[in-house]
Amino acid sequence: MRQIPVDTSAALVMVAQPPTAKIKDRRTGEIATDVETGAQMMTVDVLFAANGEAEVLSIVVPAPGLTGDLVMGTSVALTGLVARPWENEFNGQKRHGISFRAVAVTSLVKEG
């Protein structure tokens, strides 16, 4: 699958919704895991502001990549952020979009 690196160096990024487990199958409640490491996958909604525009993005990240207290409003760094175009067909309806995945989401708030 094609991956497009996302440059976050000029962006202000903060938590919009704290991390939650990524659900793989809504019918069974099965939690998604990383195919390479087996780590539980999490979703973090972030406010991504750059170039005079702001948007809420849902970022998928392995649980070990979450560091710091990621509560609403916390400034964060996104390591290894990539965008992946996707497309599927369900019940005759074609859908498409862009999903985002990061290696890590790290709080920029100094503790102590």
Side-chain angles (χ1 to χ4, degrees):
M1 178 183 293
R2 183 176 52 176
Q3 294 186 76
I4 304 162
V6 179
D7 179 10
T8 62
S9 61
L12 170 66
V13 185
M14 64 180 69
V15 175
Q17 290 293 322
T20 58
K22 178 172 174 49
I23 305 298
K24 180 177 182 177
D25 186 332
R26 292 176 210 252
R27 291 171 296 166
T28 65
E30 180 184 359
I31 304 296
T33 56
D34 185 291
V35 293
E36 294 175 8
T37 66
Q40 179 177 329
M41 299 303 291
M42 304 293 287
T43 301
V44 182
D45 288 349
V46 299
L47 177 68
F48 189 95
N51 304 320
E53 296 183 17
E55 189 171 350
V56 174
L57 304 177
S58 290
I59 310 293
V60 176
V61 61
L66 299 172
T67 56
D69 193 14
L70 301 177
V71 296
M72 189 181 298
T74 303
S75 291
V76 294
L78 303 175
T79 304
L81 182 64
V82 293
R84 295 179 177 178
W86 61 267
E87 184 177 310
N88 64 26
E89 189 171 333
F90 184 73
N91 288 339
Q93 298 282 348
K94 286 193 175 194
R95 298 178 49 199
H96 63 276
I98 299 173
S99 63
F100 295 91
R101 180 172 171 155
V103 173
V105 176
T106 308
S107 170
L108 297 177
V109 175
K110 302 289 185 231
E111 294 184 27

